[in-house]
Amino acid sequence: MENGLTHFDKEGNAVMVDVSGKNVTYRTALATGYIAVGPEIMACVTEGNVKKGDVLGVARVAGIMGVKKTSELIPMCHPLPIQKCAIDYELDQEKNRIHVLCTVKTEGKTGVEMEALTGVQVTLLTIYDMCKAIDKHMVMSEIHLIEKTGGKGGDFRFEEEQ
Amino acid sequence: MENGLTHFDKEGNAVMVDVSGKNVTYRTALATGYIAVGPEIMACVTEGNVKKGDVLGVARVAGIMGVKKTSELIPMCHPLPIQKCAIDYELDQEKNRIHVLCTVKTEGKTGVEMEALTGVQVTLLTIYDMCKAIDKHMVMSEIHLIEKTGGKGGDFRFEEEQ
Amino acid sequence: MENGLTHFDKEGNAVMVDVSGKNVTYRTALATGYIAVGPEIMACVTEGNVKKGDVLGVARVAGIMGVKKTSELIPMCHPLPIQKCAIDYELDQEKNRIHVLCTVKTEGKTGVEMEALTGVQVTLLTIYDMCKAIDKHMVMSEIHLIEKTGGKGGDFRFEEEQ
Amino acid sequence: MENGLTHFDKEGNAVMVDVSGKNVTYRTALATGYIAVGPEIMACVTEGNVKKGDVLGVARVAGIMGVKKTSELIPMCHPLPIQKCAIDYELDQEKNRIHVLCTVKTEGKTGVEMEALTGVQVTLLTIYDMCKAIDKHMVMSEIHLIEKTGGKGGDFRFEEEQ
Amino acid sequence: MENGLTHFDKEGNAVMVDVSGKNVTYRTALATGYIAVGPEIMACVTEGNVKKGDVLGVARVAGIMGVKKTSELIPMCHPLPIQKCAIDYELDQEKNRIHVLCTVKTEGKTGVEMEALTGVQVTLLTIYDMCKAIDKHMVMSEIHLIEKTGGKGGDFRFEEEQ
Amino acid sequence: MENGLTHFDKEGNAVMVDVSGKNVTYRTALATGYIAVGPEIMACVTEGNVKKGDVLGVARVAGIMGVKKTSELIPMCHPLPIQKCAIDYELDQEKNRIHVLCTVKTEGKTGVEMEALTGVQVTLLTIYDMCKAIDKHMVMSEIHLIEKTGGKGGDFRFEEEQ
């Protein structure tokens, strides 16, 4: 397509793109995003790893399972054999933000960017769900790809100023 | 639980909360969020409704189907009989942002906040997927609940200054 | 919508219709369809109930499970608590046709027409799958609703001459 | 099995056939089918691409997502990494029939015939769902494989007279 | 059916039983089962709650999510709106057995016995998966219903000597 | 991890293990387990293959479909392209036990032990479901891996005395 929207054919009809001619290469993707919570929730979540309920542990399991559901959720996404998936957190105690990082690896004909982003979103949603009884003013923001490697398009690294 | 994390029992173990004693009431939720795209993508998406590929139409279908998958994605979420679901868009042509609004209605013992938020996230992810061949510097932000009605907790309206 | 397409709003955007104001009533639907197979397959299927492999039994299980997946498959379909589901067969030995009948019952705010039709389609597809090693010239035809009861729209009975 | 029903073992028990010894080859399948609708629905659907609701666009998304669910729906079907999927339409304005064509590609040890047929069925069911408020006398017919390529069994082309 | 197998009709065909005439009542079910592990695994799992990896926490999430998938897994099972679900553990340090208890509640026309049993099985399978790198000689045993309440059939309590 | 729990990282966080560096090899797994039923159920099931309802046939279909759902059920399980799956039974008429055997084959970077065990569990649960109207005192026991082949870890054979 001239306009760059590869997920449509010449008549503008949505298609699952033909990747059969592409090479199988190792591919990785890393995505991120955060949820801004109030100080009360931040305290609960931080202590959570100890004894009062492991919010981040439950959300991690949800995120990893969400990664495996990516091609069920995103219509034009190809199913891929996920070979690794990890969810990590960075807690910004000052701004009361929980940052989520999702790493995904595969060996395939197309990349795992959508898988990594889906992993971040499902993790964030699960944190929201588990804390919403305290306060519903949580906001999820700055969800984006950090980097990807592999594939004909080459590596990508997110540049803040773009 | 004293600390307000209702999704855990007294020992801190995750549970799907007992809602059997709650009343069945009408419940609605409205959530929002946006994806910041470059000017090139904004142009494609805007024209998309005409002839070059309907990005927003495909993402709307994905979002509605995503709403129905909420309790599969979020571990402690109760399955609910969704009675209405709509995805709307507001295009901010100046800032190149596509705003997504998801409305969900049910009649049940617990609310549809998570459903509305999941609808926003899956819609945003699908827009990302369909435009990522043009530029991967898209960022999804400010995903939050706008309002909910129904249930013992009463109505809720998001206040910006919180 | 003036044009009768209730699954779209005034701007022509797809929506899952609001059924919250509708009454809960008992609802049934019966749908049918057939697969035309060659004589060789017809013989295998007929004997199948005895000792050589129960094609129709496997397809019945698939059809019932398919009914439960209807709202996952059809984007604007409301999830419904299925209360009964049966798959029956009529073998037309002369024309080598296997007729499928799917009955579904629920108590809800919207009908089970799509559930019954989906049950027929998944049953037919499974018969196809299990017999395709013999001959791929099978054709599935005349899949339609026979009747539905319940709901504000009243009962419906398919009339051949329409 | 002597009787050609490869999806059963020697005792007549259903099995997911062992394909581990087969070669990985490129495989394509093309399937078709139509839905006969009344003139009123035909008019709505035809105008749909313009402004009153894009029935065929929504059904295309459903069909592509349905293709990815094939091995979940058909019990003995092997999961396959779908590499391409497209849904096309041909509108027969005279007979008021909407023809659906589904193309699927993979590289694998077994073919994608069932995926292409499932794509046709889910697309047809979605058209039915979105138009059923106008008239429920729609009939889906002549759903069959048109051709397949790849695999040990060689290419196949549907012959009308069979 | 005279023989008591209610999941088949008079001809012996599998059916999803008609529950539409039954009353909606509160229903609970409690099921159990254990996995026998070696002493090394027992030590890992016990310490797991502290710092080395929370096997039981991950398995609890899987079990709760599994409960929600019951009607997708068991062909003739009715979908039910789960209103509560909890997974508890009892560690038998002497015999190196991890006992799983799954409680499920609903308000419906049929019971949640299968949901509670499925919750136990998925929890046990997840423990197995997470410990199998240490030793694959784990055995899952004595998975059964402990009690159920609600429904026309009345309450049930498992008696050891039966 | 020093403690052998490979499904956690150094900080004790659950991860889907990185298998990208492993070789693709043929892999098989065979798992087993039984359900102890009363004599009345045993009689029904045994006659079932004839005319009164094929409990074991339905459960076999459920088990095979369950195998394909393994990576959806078990959080840290990698999705694998199942290449063969069979469910077999051995009826112990004396002890009134139905033994289930599940064989799974794939070609991949990780094994199919969890798939075989999941196949056994879903088959057992389905037998339970279909017979529970007669008596709920059924018990599922001794579910374990019998053997696996392929992969760096080498072959495994379950030894009773362990």
Side-chain angles (χ1 to χ4, degrees), chain B residues 9 13-22 71-79 109, chain E residues 26 60-61 64-65 67-69 72 80-88 105-107:
Chain B
D9 65 15
N13 298 324
V15 289
M16 194 198 286
V17 181
D18 189 346
V19 298
S20 63
K22 297 173 87 173
S71 68
E72 264 187 76
L73 292 168
I74 317 286
M76 304 301 147
C77 216
H78 299 81
K109 299 197 163 209
Chain E
Y26 279 96
R60 176 183 287 116
V61 177
I64 291 172
M65 294 178 89
V67 163
K68 294 191 270 186
K69 283 195 167 295
E72 265 187 76
L80 285 172
I82 307 305
Q83 294 180 345
K84 187 219 159 135
C85 177
I87 302 283
D88 291 294
K105 264 196 192 176
T106 196
E107 220 170 332

Side-chain angles (χ1 to χ4, degrees), chain A residues 22-43:
Chain A
K22 296 172 89 174
N23 292 324
V24 171
T25 62
Y26 279 96
R27 291 154 188 277
T28 66
L30 172 62
T32 193
Y34 70 79
I35 183 164
V37 300
E40 193 185 349
I41 291 174
M42 198 67 184

Side-chain angles (χ1 to χ4, degrees), chain C residues 8-145:
Chain C
F8 295 95
D9 65 16
K10 275 175 290 183
E11 278 82 40
N13 298 325
V15 289
M16 195 198 287
V17 181
D18 189 347
V19 297
S20 62
K22 297 173 88 172
N23 292 322
V24 170
T25 62
Y26 278 96
R27 291 154 187 279
T28 65
L30 172 62
T32 193
Y34 69 79
I35 183 165
V37 300
E40 192 185 351
I41 291 174
M42 198 67 183
C44 282
V45 168
T46 312
E47 291 160 32
N49 285 311
V50 199
K51 203 62 253 226
K52 295 198 186 152
D54 184 4
V55 171
L56 301 183
V58 174
R60 177 182 287 116
V61 176
I64 291 172
M65 294 179 90
V67 163
K68 293 190 271 186
K69 283 193 166 296
T70 304
S71 69
E72 265 188 73
L73 292 168
I74 317 286
M76 305 302 146
C77 218
H78 298 80
L80 285 171
I82 307 304
Q83 293 180 346
K84 187 218 159 137
C85 177
I87 303 282
D88 291 294
Y89 298 107
E90 281 169 19
L91 303 184
D92 181 338
Q93 306 270 9
E94 231 159 281
K95 294 187 180 161
N96 293 316
R97 290 176 181 175
I98 302 164
H99 289 264
V100 174
L101 290 147
C102 178
T103 317
V104 183
K105 264 195 191 178
T106 195
E107 220 170 332
K109 299 197 162 210
T110 181
V112 281
E113 295 95 293
M114 294 317 302
E115 279 75 8
L117 287 163
T118 302
V120 171
Q121 298 286 40
V122 175
T123 305
L124 291 173
L125 286 167
T126 304
I127 297 172
Y128 190 106
D129 181 48
M130 301 193 82
C131 298
K132 71 179 194 293
I134 300 178
D135 182 4
K136 290 178 187 64
H137 284 92
M138 288 172 276
V139 179
M140 296 168 269
S141 278
E142 289 185 38
I143 297 121
H144 64 82
L145 194 63

Side-chain angles (χ1 to χ4, degrees), chain D residues 9 13-22 71-79 109, chain F residues 26 60-61 64-65 67-69 72 80-88 105-107:
Chain D
D9 65 15
N13 298 325
V15 288
M16 194 197 288
V17 180
D18 189 345
V19 298
S20 62
K22 295 173 89 173
S71 68
E72 267 188 73
L73 292 167
I74 316 287
M76 305 302 147
C77 218
H78 297 80
K109 299 198 162 206
Chain F
Y26 278 97
R60 177 182 286 118
V61 176
I64 291 173
M65 294 178 88
V67 162
K68 292 190 271 185
K69 283 193 166 298
E72 266 188 74
L80 285 173
I82 307 305
Q83 293 180 345
K84 187 217 158 138
C85 176
I87 303 284
D88 290 294
K105 264 195 191 177
T106 196
E107 219 170 333

